[in-house]
Amino acid sequence: MAVKLRLRRMGKKKQPVYKMVAADSRSPRDGKFLEAVGFYNPLTNPHTLELKEDRILYWLNVGAQPSDTVKSLLRQKGITLKKELSGKGLDEEKIKSELENWQKMKEAGSKKKTEKKLSRKAKAKQQAEAGSSDANKEQAPAEEKKSEEKSE
């Protein structure tokens, strides 16, 4: 039996909530599953992701294949990195330190992205203000010329 880690859609219409499950690859998306190993809500900001790491690692170690979406979610949480490091034969302390370093790098990268986005917005706002003041300056002389022509 081929086992897949995939998302099972739940929730109301236009408001999806997903359960991450280990299921037989032949079963339908919302059909029978072997075990629920997590929860994913994409509608919250930032999205909610609750996982049972030990069970996910168990299923990955016995050969379960994650779907593309599940793979990206596991990557975001660092579970794939943890599996790779344990596969290399590293001890628990080494794995823990590597995960902490990865987490710090990830936070620094997200801070950098947000700062860049904010600076880009501020720059655009300054250009818009400068553009509107330039447009006012250009209109003022044109109005003066029209008034001079009428007076002659």
Side-chain angles (χ1 to χ4, degrees):
M1 169 172 58
V3 177
K4 277 195 161 288
L5 291 177
R6 63 180 178 207
L7 296 176
R8 179 175 199 244
R9 191 178 198 277
M10 302 170 67
K12 296 189 278 186
K13 184 193 295 187
K14 305 278 185 177
Q15 296 178 356
V17 176
Y18 298 94
K19 226 182 227 186
M20 190 179 296
V21 296
D24 182 8
S25 63
R26 297 169 291 185
S27 66
R29 178 190 73 180
D30 299 334
K32 190 170 79 170
F33 61 92
L34 301 170
E35 180 181 8
V37 293
F39 176 79
Y40 171 57
N41 186 355
L43 299 178
T44 58
N45 190 12
H47 62 260
T48 308
L49 186 59
E50 299 171 15
L51 303 173
K52 298 177 186 175
E53 283 187 40
D54 57 333
R55 294 307 297 165
I56 291 172
L57 288 172
Y58 164 77
W59 283 110
L60 291 173
N61 286 332
V62 296
Q65 295 297 313
S67 68
D68 294 337
T69 307
V70 170
K71 194 182 293 186
S72 70
L73 292 173
L74 296 179
R75 210 175 280 137
Q76 285 177 10
K77 280 290 192 176
I79 295 176
T80 54
L81 177 65
K82 190 173 187 177
K83 182 184 180 301
E84 288 173 10
L85 293 175
S86 63
K88 289 181 179 178
L90 298 176
D91 59 334
E92 288 296 318
E93 292 177 15
K94 194 86 163 169
I95 292 173
K96 201 171 197 175
S97 65
E98 288 288 330
L99 286 172
E100 287 173 3
N101 290 339
W102 173 80
Q103 192 70 28
K104 288 177 187 176
M105 296 283 283
K106 186 177 173 188
E107 288 172 5
S110 65
K111 275 186 183 179
K112 192 175 181 180
K113 276 186 182 178
T114 54
E115 288 173 1
K116 192 173 184 179
K117 196 173 195 179
L118 291 174
S119 67
R120 201 178 300 152
K121 283 184 179 179
K123 219 181 250 185
K125 191 174 184 181
Q126 287 176 352
Q127 288 178 350
E129 289 174 358
S132 64
S133 64
D134 289 344
N136 290 339
K137 289 179 185 177
E138 290 175 11
Q139 288 176 354
E143 291 172 3
E144 290 174 10
K145 289 179 184 177
K146 288 181 183 177
S147 62
E148 288 176 9
E149 290 174 5
K150 288 181 182 178
S151 62
E152 292 176 3

